[in-house]
Amino acid sequence: MRYRNKIISLIAFILAFSIFLGGCGKKEDKEPLSKTEFMMDTVMTIKLYDKKDEEVLKKAFNRIKEIEDKMSNTIENSYIDKINKNAGKAPIEVDEEVYNLLVKAKKFAELTDGAYEPTIGPLVELWNIKGEGKNDKHTIPKEEDIKKALDKVDYKKLELLDNNKVLLKDKGMKLDLGGIAKGYAGDEVKKVLEENGVKHAIIDLGGNIYALGSKEGDKSWKIGIQNPKEERGSYVGIVEVKENAVVTSGDYERYFEVDGKRYHHIIDSKTGYPSDNELSAISIISKSSTDSDALSTALFVLGREKGAKVLSKLEDTEVLYITKSGKVYISNGMKDKFTLKNPNFDLKINEYK
Ligand code: ADP
Ligand code: MG
């Protein structure tokens, strides 16, 4: 009898242990293979939920580095650096992908009447919100310096010539692709992952998110929308998407404050100052991470009313605005996709069409 009891408890133990192990195994299966790197001036994380192959992650980050080396205006001898140094002098031949992205950048500048402004460089440099080198004390630039810089900002003087040649017409002009390059990198990483057989992944390039495919079991991904008033990782609500880019811009990313007023890194090309309206953050949801990036910058400057006019010309593009006073305005198409999680915010349907 005692012997039988022992056997029964042994079997029970083995069963419990294997269920425990099985449980562990399953959990491990669900855990993504994740890698984080600092590139393009921001923290980037890629999470693979299937085809968990370190080599694929490596290829993805190599691709981002390649894009940064071509498109950064602070990396010596990048294509953009060469174009800037030859402003008002000579056209520079660039490669196909840089040329194509410049064509797109100019298109978004035209569409948004310069709210997205790829030649914003002189103003970005003058304000130096990042605080390296010149103006590292973070003072408000002098009015006359702002005027001078404004004179050097005009996408109409970005000439995209034959044979992939690019010229900035006036001396002192500067391209700055900070408002579109991360988005472009997102679309390119998506391609790398797909080419390597990945079907389910989250690509988060410093707030430029691409949700690849679906979550396991064809479920939607849940993407947290950052609370602009709190530390990173605290959310206003959740957007549920499959195969979509969710790109966010905000006044909380990089800024300095003088007399209680916030001077952030998105500049209004009409005034020469950081944009100043009711908005604190914006997210654009569309199939293209590049487009969402340019639009998030533009609509942050334009605000909800003018932003609606831009959106009316585009298909399958949704928006979520967060105001300084704690209102969350979503476009109609977001009704079934967004859930408010933070009771300090007030959810509304955007009335501008
Ligand atoms: P983030 O870089 O935080 O994702 P954005 O996509 O809005 O935010 O890009 C902001 C960057 O774009 C700035 O750091 C600057 O390099 C550049 N930029 C600033 N103002 C503009 C503008 N009006 N149009 C285009 N690019 C801009
Ligand atoms: Mg942007």
Side-chain angles (χ1 to χ4, degrees):
M1 191 65 188
R2 272 181 67 196
Y3 183 68
R4 225 180 89 186
N5 272 351
K6 260 192 185 163
I7 299 233
I8 288 170
S9 43
L10 187 69
I11 289 170
F13 176 77
I14 290 170
L15 263 177
F17 192 65
S18 51
I19 287 168
F20 170 74
L21 276 183
C24 282
K26 248 198 192 139
K27 194 169 169 231
E28 206 169 74
D29 279 344
K30 280 186 185 164
E31 286 298 318
L33 178 69
S34 169
K35 191 174 164 115
T36 298
E37 297 233 354
F38 191 84
M39 280 185 187
M40 298 177 99
D41 252 344
T42 191
V43 179
M44 302 188 153
T45 301
I46 302 174
K47 292 182 178 173
L48 307 183
Y49 286 79
D50 63 339
K51 191 94 198 313
K52 296 173 194 169
D53 183 347
E54 292 277 355
E55 277 307 306
V56 178
L57 284 176
K58 226 184 253 171
K59 279 186 199 165
F61 279 105
N62 285 345
R63 181 73 181 106
I64 300 172
K65 185 78 188 98
E66 185 179 52
I67 292 167
E68 183 177 18
D69 286 343
K70 289 181 188 186
M71 314 221 180
S72 162
N73 58 353
T74 53
I75 293 179
E76 189 109 6
N77 274 327
S78 72
Y79 285 119
I80 300 303
D81 179 54
K82 282 188 199 158
I83 295 168
N84 289 348
K85 284 183 177 145
N86 284 283
K89 288 188 225 157
I92 293 296
E93 188 178 334
V94 300
D95 76 350
E96 201 74 24
E97 76 166 332
V98 172
Y99 192 84
N100 291 340
L101 190 62
L102 288 174
V103 169
K104 200 157 213 191
K106 192 162 173 175
K107 190 191 101 184
F108 276 106
E110 279 158 3
L111 181 72
T112 64
D113 189 24
Y116 170 78
E117 176 44 276
T119 72
I120 200 81
L123 283 165
V124 172
E125 210 171 272
L126 181 67
W127 280 91
N128 189 20
I129 308 288
K130 276 192 231 157
E132 295 149 357
K134 278 188 243 162
N135 193 20
D136 58 353
K137 298 281 181 300
H138 280 158
T139 50
I140 300 164
K142 284 192 226 123
E143 195 60 44
E144 58 184 274
D145 291 337
I146 291 180
K147 280 215 179 87
K148 267 189 223 156
L150 263 175
D151 269 354
K152 304 287 177 201
V153 172
D154 186 358
Y155 67 87
K156 292 184 193 96
K157 292 181 179 171
L158 164 62
E159 299 203 330
L160 302 169
L161 310 163
D162 289 346
N163 304 318
N164 292 347
K165 290 208 168 123
V166 181
L167 174 72
L168 290 168
K169 259 180 147 177
D170 296 347
K171 264 199 179 142
M173 285 185 76
K174 275 192 177 123
L175 285 169
D176 178 334
L177 297 186
I180 200 169
K182 269 183 282 162
Y184 177 70
D187 285 329
E188 290 305 298
V189 166
K190 165 189 144 83
K191 279 190 206 159
V192 171
L193 298 189
E194 282 174 343
E195 279 161 19
N196 285 277
V198 178
K199 291 199 173 66
H200 312 276
I202 293 289
I203 305 160
D204 181 352
L205 312 184
N208 281 245
I209 294 171
Y210 195 91
L212 182 71
S214 63
K215 232 177 135 178
E216 203 187 33
D218 204 31
K219 285 193 216 126
S220 296
W221 297 105
K222 291 185 174 161
I223 310 290
I225 299 296
Q226 173 70 30
N227 178 347
K229 293 180 181 153
E230 298 273 340
E231 299 277 300
R232 224 163 231 301
S234 141
Y235 300 123
V236 168
I238 278 168
V239 176
E240 293 190 49
V241 289
K242 287 180 199 170
E243 193 62 39
N244 250 302
V246 181
V247 175
T248 302
S249 285
D251 65 4
Y252 55 91
E253 288 285 345
R254 297 169 200 270
Y255 64 89
F256 64 82
E257 278 178 290
V258 177
D259 298 332
K261 197 172 162 62
R262 185 172 286 195
Y263 297 89
H264 57 80
H265 72 315
I266 300 173
I267 314 281
D268 183 339
S269 67
K270 297 271 187 284
T271 64
Y273 283 77
S275 73
D276 188 10
N277 53 30
E278 62 167 356
L279 298 178
S280 191
I282 180 174
S283 301
I284 301 278
I285 295 95
S286 84
K287 294 287 174 203
S288 158
S289 156
T290 312
D291 297 7
S292 292
D293 195 6
L295 285 170
S296 72
T297 308
L299 269 59
F300 189 74
V301 173
L302 288 174
R304 293 187 293 129
E305 196 173 354
K306 287 183 187 149
K309 294 204 176 92
V310 172
L311 289 178
S312 70
K313 295 178 192 153
L314 302 168
E315 275 175 17
D316 297 327
T317 309
E318 302 294 336
V319 63
L320 179 152
Y321 299 98
I322 304 177
T323 69
K324 288 170 186 150
S325 67
K327 294 194 178 67
V328 180
Y329 291 96
I330 56 174
S331 52
N332 246 319
M334 289 291 284
K335 268 195 268 179
D336 304 328
K337 292 186 182 135
F338 180 74
T339 315
L340 189 75
K341 293 284 183 193
N342 187 324
N344 298 328
F345 287 82
D346 207 5
L347 182 61
K348 294 180 179 299
I349 302 293
N350 192 27
E351 69 265 33
Y352 297 109
K353 293 271 174 306

